Amino acid sequence: MSHENPVSDVPKGLRKGLTSYGDAGFSLFLRRAFIKAMGYSDDALDRPIVGITNTYSDFNPCHGNVPDLIAAAKRGVMLAGGLPMEFPTISIHESFAHPTSMFLRNLMAMDTEEMIRAQPMDAVVLIGGCDKTIPAQLMGAASADIPAIVLPTGPMLVGHYKGEVLGACTDCRRLWAKHRAGDMTEAEMDEVSGRLAPTKGTCMVMGTASTVACMTEALGMCLPGAGTVPATHADRIRAAEASGAAAIRLARDGMTPSRIMTRAAFTNALTVLQAIGGSTNGLIHFTAIAGRLGIDIDLDSFDRLGLDVPVLVDLKPSGQHYMEHFHWAGGMPRLLAELGDLIDLTQHSVAGGTLADVVAAAEYVPGQDVIRPRSAPIHQGGGLAVLRGNLAPGGALLKRSAATPALMVHEGRAVVFDSIEDMTTRIDADDLDVTADDVLVLRNAGPKGAPGMPEAGYIPIPRKLARQGVKDMLRISDARMSGTAFGTIVLHATPEAAIGGPLALVRDGDRIRLDAGARRLDLLVNAEELANRRSEWTPPAEPLGAERGYLRLFLDQVTQADEGVDFAFLRPKKP
Ligand code: FES
């Protein structure tokens, strides 16, 4: 398939990307004739065209406000003199994607890339929100490289239950753990299920969706404030209108994603990831987005960044507050201002100028305690630490800001689960040989293993220990974890067990040692014994249905966590 345009060197609007009939004039004539069936005038059809992705779906409550956002974005485009054209792409909701939403992220990225390249548009407004959607859209936009602006759907408002403030989905997990421990009844769980997600929009803790929205703002790819305004507020609608107008300016200036998403812009986004105590998924997604532009995210540099960057935002699951509180405390512009020289303010924003302009306009809210100054951080070092060692030669990730300080140096006996099914079957058995000092190990849950690298890294505390009041244990896997989860949990052990990574060699009773300060994660088994085990290892069977279709493509092409779990063939060829 060719992506060249036959009409002129720089075709615009309706003339872009003509369908190939061997006669460019006829192609344009036919296109105009068909689109006029929708009632457009010649004046409208001669305007710059802004595509607007419609990711509304009845299966996706995080995108429940998309129709209102589209209407406002269209208004913004028209006020700026352009023609808005809405079109559908895949929509993915966390809880409605089997086997995982991550399995489908790259499919959505392909859909987004090809549809914004195939259809005639001078710029595109990418409306996304639920965890994998904005990463998919930015991956696609980076590869297509036409002017683009992200419009997040925005976070939900908080819920309330018996005097407590609740948020999806940190409190979903906390209350479920109480239920497992026998402290909440079925009836109470039914009642609370109607309180945890009280409005349309994305999870309102600093989970993956909020993390990605904040990082996108720091990256310069959405308007200031657009990452944090609640989904249901009037300001969200105004942000949509402004995004539509901004898209026209981006088109006029030829401001493509590759001009905004520079290496320094990614460093800004990763600095923010540390400063917000953000989701571990943020690293995987932005590694994938950067990879589309040929920019490698080096794990060790990210870890060093973490030593300098304090956690300044006090949001669940690392802290106390919720996204609406962060927004009204000044949101991302205030955070960027507080981060000071840790941010490269010369980087561009889709808002027009640079991040220096964004910071200059930041609101100062007296008395707020959600965004701390650097002199009084929540945590001195950043939220995420990269571990190396013989259990993760390609790296593993620990969210220190949500972990138990007493477990930062810990040695214990391995209790191994061979798969998610194995874990589900045995974790609550009364005869499971486990104590609070042990290390729970889950394997074959990585990119290829599960497949789709599910958010299974939040291994539940075995029921018999939960009933004794055990709240946290050291847990290790090659899986991911929801950004809304908390605990001393080592994730993304690379390479994964399913391709023979060292996690595959661990046996029940082995000693494992974590030293977070030294950034080490080691299996205390000698090299000779490990070599013996490796010679006996056989890869796990492929899942049902692996002989064809998207699953086959996924298994053949998916990369490891340190390459963003993107498909190898979607990354640009190295010169
Ligand atoms: Fe969509 Fe949490 S489920 S953002």
Side-chain angles (χ1 to χ4, degrees):
M1 180 176 59
S2 167
H3 294 303
E4 288 171 14
N5 197 297
V7 165
S8 71
D9 287 336
V10 192
K12 293 261 194 311
L14 214 61
R15 290 171 169 75
K16 283 191 80 175
L18 290 173
T19 310
S20 181
Y21 295 115
D23 178 344
F26 175 70
S27 296
L28 181 59
F29 167 74
L30 203 63
R31 177 172 285 178
R32 283 186 94 89
F34 274 118
I35 201 67
K36 282 185 173 179
M38 301 284 276
Y40 291 106
S41 65
D42 285 322
D43 180 21
L45 294 175
D46 286 336
R47 303 290 178 125
I49 295 176
V50 173
I52 302 173
T53 61
N54 184 351
T55 52
Y56 179 83
S57 158
D58 283 347
F59 289 110
N60 195 344
C62 301
H63 291 204
N65 60 347
V66 164
D68 292 340
L69 298 182
I70 289 174
K74 284 183 170 177
R75 185 165 68 240
V77 171
M78 289 189 281
L79 285 169
L83 174 65
M85 299 285 272
E86 164 192 343
F87 65 98
T89 71
I90 294 172
S91 185
I92 308 170
H93 184 273
E94 272 310 292
S95 310
F96 285 90
H98 177 80
T100 70
S101 59
M102 190 64 171
F103 180 66
L104 298 170
R105 184 201 64 181
N106 297 347
L107 185 64
M108 182 173 180
M110 290 165 66
D111 177 12
T112 304
E113 174 184 346
E114 295 305 332
M115 294 317 286
I116 64 182
R117 204 193 329 250
Q119 300 172 127
M121 60 191 83
D122 299 292
V124 62
V125 179
L126 302 161
I127 304 181
C130 196
D131 292 14
K132 309 302 176 293
T133 56
I134 291 177
Q137 292 173 324
L138 281 173
M139 289 161 73
S143 294
D145 208 25
I146 71 159
I149 181 169
V150 172
L151 173 58
T153 55
M156 303 172 200
L157 298 180
V158 297
H160 299 267
Y161 180 69
K162 293 186 176 169
E164 246 192 301
V165 176
L166 296 183
C169 237
T170 301
D171 294 307
C172 315
R173 294 172 198 287
R174 183 175 60 79
L175 298 178
W176 186 252
K178 278 179 86 170
H179 177 54
R180 280 173 53 81
D183 295 338
M184 279 186 80
T185 65
E186 290 282 346
E188 286 174 314
M189 291 306 285
D190 280 348
E191 195 179 357
V192 88
S193 73
R195 308 284 181 88
L196 284 159
T199 71
K200 295 168 182 174
T202 51
C203 292
M204 66 297 236
V205 297
M206 192 51 83
T208 302
S210 301
T211 298
V212 166
C214 291
M215 291 176 75
T216 301
E217 206 171 315
L219 188 66
M221 285 300 292
C222 70
L223 294 179
T228 55
V229 190
T232 51
H233 281 207
D235 278 346
R236 171 67 47 198
I237 302 292
R238 277 186 280 275
E241 184 183 301
S243 298
I248 288 290
R249 182 176 32 72
L250 293 169
R252 186 195 65 214
D253 297 346
M255 201 65 181
T256 53
S258 61
R259 291 180 63 191
I260 296 174
M261 296 196 281
T262 62
R263 181 176 289 281
F266 279 105
T267 302
N268 282 343
L270 294 172
T271 300
V272 161
L273 172 60
Q274 294 279 13
I276 59 180
S279 162
T280 46
N281 290 318
L283 181 60
I284 288 192
H285 293 319
F286 277 66
T287 298
I289 298 161
R292 292 298 187 93
L293 296 165
I295 299 170
D296 288 329
I297 302 294
D298 171 50
L299 278 181
D300 296 316
S301 309
F302 175 69
D303 186 68
R304 282 194 297 277
L305 192 69
L307 296 176
D308 294 332
V309 180
V311 178
L312 296 184
V313 176
D314 190 4
L315 247 66
K316 290 200 172 194
S318 300
Q320 295 304 312
H321 300 286
Y322 296 88
M323 282 298 281
E324 62 188 271
H325 308 129
F326 178 41
H327 179 70
W328 297 121
M332 283 300 301
R334 183 79 246 151
L335 175 64
L336 295 176
E338 294 298 343
L339 285 168
D341 62 1
L342 295 170
I343 295 290
D344 180 347
L345 296 178
T346 66
Q347 296 304 300
H348 290 288
S349 159
V350 288
T354 63
L355 291 189
D357 302 309
V358 173
V359 164
E363 186 179 354
Y364 176 74
V365 179
Q368 65 82 18
D369 62 352
V370 184
I371 306 167
R372 301 276 189 89
R374 273 168 77 178
S375 56
I378 314 285
H379 295 277
Q380 199 53 256
L384 301 177
V386 176
L387 307 173
R388 302 270 186 186
N390 71 354
L391 258 186
L397 212 53
L398 171 68
K399 187 171 183 177
R400 287 191 306 162
S401 57
T404 301
L407 290 172
M408 291 296 88
V409 177
H410 182 76
E411 186 183 315
R413 196 180 60 133
V415 176
V416 182
F417 299 99
D418 218 25
S419 66
I420 294 170
E421 295 70 33
D422 181 34
M423 177 183 79
T424 311
T425 308
R426 295 196 294 124
I427 190 91
D428 287 337
D430 287 336
D431 61 354
L432 181 70
D433 180 13
V434 66
T435 72
D437 290 333
D438 290 340
V439 180
L440 303 178
V441 174
L442 169 65
R443 64 183 168 213
N444 297 317
K448 277 188 207 272
M453 207 181 183
E455 292 185 338
Y458 182 71
I459 304 168
I461 302 295
R463 196 189 300 266
K464 69 181 190 184
L465 296 180
R467 285 190 171 140
Q468 293 164 20
V470 176
K471 295 275 187 291
D472 194 12
M473 294 172 71
L474 176 56
R475 291 162 267 180
I476 300 171
S477 74
D478 46 13
R480 293 177 304 113
M481 173 174 86
S482 164
T484 63
F486 51 90
T488 309
I489 298 175
V490 176
L491 303 155
H492 312 177
T494 303
E496 65 175 308
I499 61 168
L503 219 52
L505 308 181
V506 184
R507 291 184 180 167
D508 280 335
D510 286 348
R511 305 292 296 177
I512 290 177
R513 182 175 165 79
L514 166 72
D515 185 339
R519 302 294 196 266
R520 294 291 305 182
L521 180 68
D522 289 296
L523 178 63
L524 306 180
V525 173
N526 68 53
E528 193 183 344
E529 169 63 15
L530 288 179
N532 284 340
R533 292 184 191 180
R534 177 164 299 289
S535 65
E536 293 166 9
W537 178 79
T538 52
E542 289 195 327
L544 279 180
E547 67 283 355
R548 62 165 296 281
Y550 179 70
L551 177 55
R552 184 70 261 154
L553 178 74
F554 188 95
L555 293 172
D556 287 344
Q557 289 290 330
V558 75
T559 58
Q560 293 290 288
D562 56 353
E563 291 191 296
V565 195
D566 199 359
F567 289 159
F569 78 95
L570 293 174
R571 291 163 63 88
K573 289 250 179 297
K574 297 252 175 187

